[in-house]
Amino acid sequence: MMTQQLKIPATYMRGGTSKGVFFALHDLPAQAQQPGAYRDALLLRVIGSPDPYGKHTDGMGGATSSTSKTVILSKSDKADHDVDYLFGQVAIDKPFIDWSGNCGNLTAAVGAFAINNGLVDAARICENGITEVRIWQANIHKTIIAHVPMRDGMVQELGDFELDGVTFPAAEVKVDFLSPVGDGAVLPTGNLVDTLVVPGEGELQATFINAGIPTIFVNASELGYTGAELQDDINNDEQALARFERIRAFGAVQMGLISDIEEAKIRQHTPKIAMVAPPSSYVASSGKHIDRADIDVQIRALSMGKLHHAMMGTAAVAIATAAAIEGTLVNLAAGGVARQSLTFGHPSGTLQVGASVNMNAGQVEVHSVSMSRSARRLMEGWVRVPEPELGE
């Protein structure tokens, strides 16, 4: 039996409405610097998964999809990029890390970590103002630009920018997702609205969007919801969660992401499923009153099998894209007119997003999606973790 733990440099960071454990690739043990079973086992132990108690008591995770995350960063060898960003979504009760997608929220923290850890050339870092960090998102092979505020040569983390879903204000970090469409077309089936047949549900209208992260949008009203639900309305109902997962699985097949619904069990991070509804007034989870006049549409999205407490950043990219395309369910719920910016309601409040989208020879082209987030270092030093013991 081992008597000593590994000691690995790490930073615990909040980015947007998520938080995770950040590593520089060169700081990981040699075996974990390459993808594979050793890396996964190590990061699972860092987070404290799998945990049948669902608490992450013996790890750095927070026992929610928003807080069970790991990030590995390295200096980029890609032209015109500063840093490579690899994201791992860690399952809570299963020995599994999903590397199939990005975390848009934690993207806001990538630039700051890269600057603070010497992954951005000094010549590109401004003394005062905004440093643009060019990020290569290694999971989905896309470029993201983080606009990191600087003061006296240091990353500015504190400020007065308020983000619904985050308790305290911080400095604003603008994030641009460039050409965010994944492999294939933004509308993977070629349709603005599809008929999704799900056993036990019958036929549902659905819009499939492949931007930011593959996302299935369905009408809240078809499922018996208003679209103004909070976490407890969904997450305390096991039948509702099973229902959403079944719809997600059949939608993933129709999107062409998997060939059999059973594969959805090992692809929990993607696609996302979200329900949409026209704007309505509601009280957010913080007690803040949201007036229907202040939002364009209601969106509620699930992540890793649970209703998200706010909104995943990558799903916000999908929302902005869908809103800009006339005739999608998101666009129709928001009034049916194409728009370059949109404010949507989520369980914690509201979020404004913008998209640059145009039609070219009948095909939708998404040039960029932008939003503002914030980020802050919570702790830096080392994580201690037992060395993984891999079975034969």
Side-chain angles (χ1 to χ4, degrees):
M1 179 181 295
M2 285 189 60
T3 58
Q4 298 295 324
Q5 298 191 83
L6 298 175
K7 177 183 176 183
I8 306 172
T11 303
Y12 198 44
M13 297 194 74
R14 178 186 64 77
T17 56
S18 294
K19 58 184 178 179
V21 185
F22 281 60
F23 299 94
L25 178 65
H26 62 256
D27 286 332
L28 290 172
Q31 281 183 270
Q33 292 183 23
Q34 301 295 326
Y38 184 91
R39 172 189 282 180
D40 284 11
L42 180 75
L43 297 179
L44 281 163
R45 195 68 169 89
V46 166
I47 294 299
S49 290
D51 184 355
Y53 302 105
K55 301 298 183 184
H56 278 157
T57 305
D58 199 22
M60 296 293 292
T64 69
S65 68
S66 302
T67 55
S68 304
K69 300 172 181 283
T70 60
V71 170
I72 301 173
L73 299 177
S74 58
K75 198 172 182 66
S76 184
D77 59 1
K78 305 285 189 304
D80 300 322
H81 290 79
D82 301 299
V83 62
D84 289 352
Y85 159 37
L86 184 68
F87 166 70
Q89 178 70 59
V90 182
I92 296 169
D93 59 350
K94 300 179 180 65
F96 177 69
I97 300 180
D98 195 330
W99 300 100
S100 66
N102 178 31
C103 175
N105 275 297
L106 288 187
T107 300
V110 169
F113 181 95
I115 292 171
N116 290 330
N117 288 270
L119 300 177
V120 178
D121 289 341
R124 289 191 32 77
I125 301 173
C126 70
E127 187 75 10
N128 291 284
I130 301 294
T131 292
E132 290 189 358
V133 179
R134 304 165 301 182
I135 301 164
W136 178 252
Q137 214 304 318
N139 302 77
I140 58 174
H141 302 156
K142 294 294 177 181
T143 298
I144 304 170
I145 307 295
H147 303 264
V148 181
M150 306 291 297
R151 180 174 295 172
D152 299 327
M154 300 179 65
V155 174
Q156 182 182 346
E157 296 178 301
L158 304 182
D160 57 7
F161 174 73
E162 295 186 355
L163 178 65
D164 285 342
V166 177
T167 306
F168 303 106
E172 181 179 11
V173 179
K174 294 182 178 179
V175 182
D176 299 327
F177 299 82
L178 307 185
S179 301
V181 176
D183 293 338
V186 62
L187 297 168
T189 64
N191 301 320
L192 297 169
V193 178
D194 280 274
T195 298
L196 175 59
V197 179
V198 181
E201 296 290 338
E203 295 183 350
L204 298 173
Q205 286 191 310
T207 289
F208 302 121
I209 292 289
N210 178 27
I213 200 164
T215 304
I216 304 160
F217 293 101
V218 294
N219 287 321
S221 60
E222 286 196 71
L223 301 179
Y225 294 108
T226 66
E229 284 75 17
L230 303 184
Q231 279 193 296
D232 286 349
D233 298 319
I234 303 295
N235 292 345
N236 291 338
D237 186 340
E238 291 298 326
Q239 288 186 333
L241 294 176
R243 185 185 185 197
F244 277 110
E245 180 58 21
R246 186 166 59 253
I247 297 169
R248 190 186 77 90
F250 278 91
V253 173
Q254 194 155 332
M255 290 183 80
L257 297 174
I258 58 178
S259 58
D260 184 272
I261 61 168
E262 290 298 313
E263 295 177 48
K265 295 176 182 178
I266 57 171
R267 191 181 174 121
Q268 294 181 310
H269 184 49
T270 57
K272 301 301 186 189
I273 181 168
M275 55 181 180
V276 304
S280 62
S281 299
Y282 67 102
V283 177
S285 57
S286 64
K288 178 181 178 181
H289 178 77
I290 307 299
D291 193 281
R292 63 175 297 175
D294 296 329
I295 58 176
D296 300 302
V297 66
Q298 291 272 28
I299 310 281
R300 299 295 186 266
L302 282 80
S303 179
M304 302 295 284
K306 299 284 188 179
L307 185 70
H308 197 276
H309 70 102
M311 183 56 62
M312 305 79 79
T314 48
V317 173
I319 291 166
T321 302
I325 304 172
E326 290 188 66
T328 68
L329 293 185
V330 177
N331 175 267
L332 293 172
V337 296
R339 55 181 74 228
Q340 292 188 328
S341 65
L342 176 92
T343 299
F344 63 85
H346 57 71
S348 294
T350 68
L351 179 64
Q352 184 176 26
V353 291
S356 175
V357 175
N358 73 290
M359 296 294 292
N360 183 14
Q363 297 297 313
V364 179
E365 293 182 344
V366 186
H367 298 287
S368 65
V369 172
S370 302
M371 69 187 75
S372 289
R373 317 303 276 165
S374 63
R376 188 171 75 84
R377 284 172 294 184
L378 304 179
M379 183 179 290
E380 53 190 349
W382 300 270
V383 293
R384 302 273 186 166
V385 57
E387 183 163 7
E389 297 180 5
L390 302 181
E392 295 298 330

